[in-house]
Amino acid sequence: MNGFIHFADPALGTSLSFPGLGLELSLNREAVFIGPLTIYWYGIIVVTGIALGIWYAVWRAGQFGIDRDRITDVILYSVLAAIVGARLYYVAFSWDYYSAHPEEIIAVWKGGIAFYGGVIGALLCAAFLCRRWKLPLVRGTDAALGGLLLGQSIGRWGNFVNREAFGAETDCFLRMGLTDATGHTIYVHPTFLYESVW
């Protein structure tokens, strides 16, 4: 389709199946094209998870007697720190590669973030700001952690679209069939689903 904005064709995606549930579908990692820019489903899903997690945490903060404007500031800075922390964690645990390719350390668009590093970065930032602005860290964390869980449960579906972060091969009824370019299919645990539901 010609035009400045157009949507990706799902039929051009890769095949996924859940034979135990009687489901088969085709998923395209790409969602929409805006001129030369490609927007991926993974990004849309993760940003949706972050936005809903922030909304939930701010809503809960009011119930904990914390100023919503101030906690919003803490959360927004902490999200930025989470992105940096997630990348640094990934780079640190892939240092053999990045020490040989230091120019790619900031190349997030090529992939490579780790959830654990994001949590560490966000918590360090939140602790610093709560101390600086004299906010109750424990109550603030209690209010915000529900938002973190909500965001993570939504964000994991980005792994589904990308066909990544799946588990070991299995024949259980929830098995997910991944078909490669040669037509070979393996059946694996859909760990994104397990974590999202958990």
Side-chain angles (χ1 to χ4, degrees):
M1 175 183 273
N2 292 329
F4 188 72
I5 299 175
H6 64 278
F7 296 94
D9 184 356
L12 299 177
T14 53
S15 175
L16 286 165
S17 64
F18 291 87
L21 303 174
L23 297 172
E24 186 160 340
L25 46 125
S26 179
L27 290 176
N28 193 333
R29 293 178 57 222
E30 299 164 337
V32 65
F33 305 97
I34 303 173
L37 180 68
T38 303
I39 298 176
Y40 292 88
W41 280 112
Y42 185 89
I44 292 170
I45 292 167
V46 168
V47 168
T48 300
I50 291 170
L52 290 174
I54 290 171
W55 169 82
Y56 179 82
V58 171
W59 173 71
R60 289 286 290 165
Q63 295 178 334
F64 280 82
I66 301 170
D67 179 79
R68 286 185 171 149
D69 289 334
R70 189 49 94 179
I71 201 72
T72 299
D73 292 339
V74 171
I75 291 169
L76 291 176
Y77 282 118
S78 295
V79 167
L80 293 175
I83 294 167
V84 172
R87 182 60 176 180
L88 289 176
Y89 190 96
Y90 183 85
V91 168
F93 283 91
S94 304
W95 188 243
D96 288 343
Y97 177 81
Y98 288 104
S99 63
H101 303 90
E103 71 282 359
E104 292 189 26
I105 289 175
I106 62 167
V108 178
W109 55 93
K110 292 185 176 183
I113 58 173
F115 174 74
Y116 311 109
V119 171
I120 293 167
L123 285 174
L124 290 174
C125 181
F128 170 77
L129 292 176
C130 283
R131 182 179 173 100
R132 182 174 181 187
W133 292 333
K134 298 181 180 14
L135 295 171
L137 177 63
V138 174
R139 280 191 293 145
T141 303
D142 204 16
L145 283 178
L148 172 69
L149 294 175
L150 176 62
Q152 177 67 3
S153 69
I154 294 168
R156 273 298 172 210
W157 285 84
N159 297 127
F160 170 64
V161 174
N162 275 2
R163 297 170 28 121
E164 62 189 9
F166 48 82
E169 289 193 46
T170 184
D171 61 356
C172 81
F173 82 99
L174 283 176
R175 69 191 177 277
M176 177 173 67
L178 301 174
T179 305
D180 64 19
T182 66
H184 181 257
T185 302
I186 61 168
Y187 295 97
V188 295
H189 281 286
T191 51
F192 76 92
L193 174 63
Y194 301 161
E195 185 173 344
S196 182
V197 171
W198 174 77

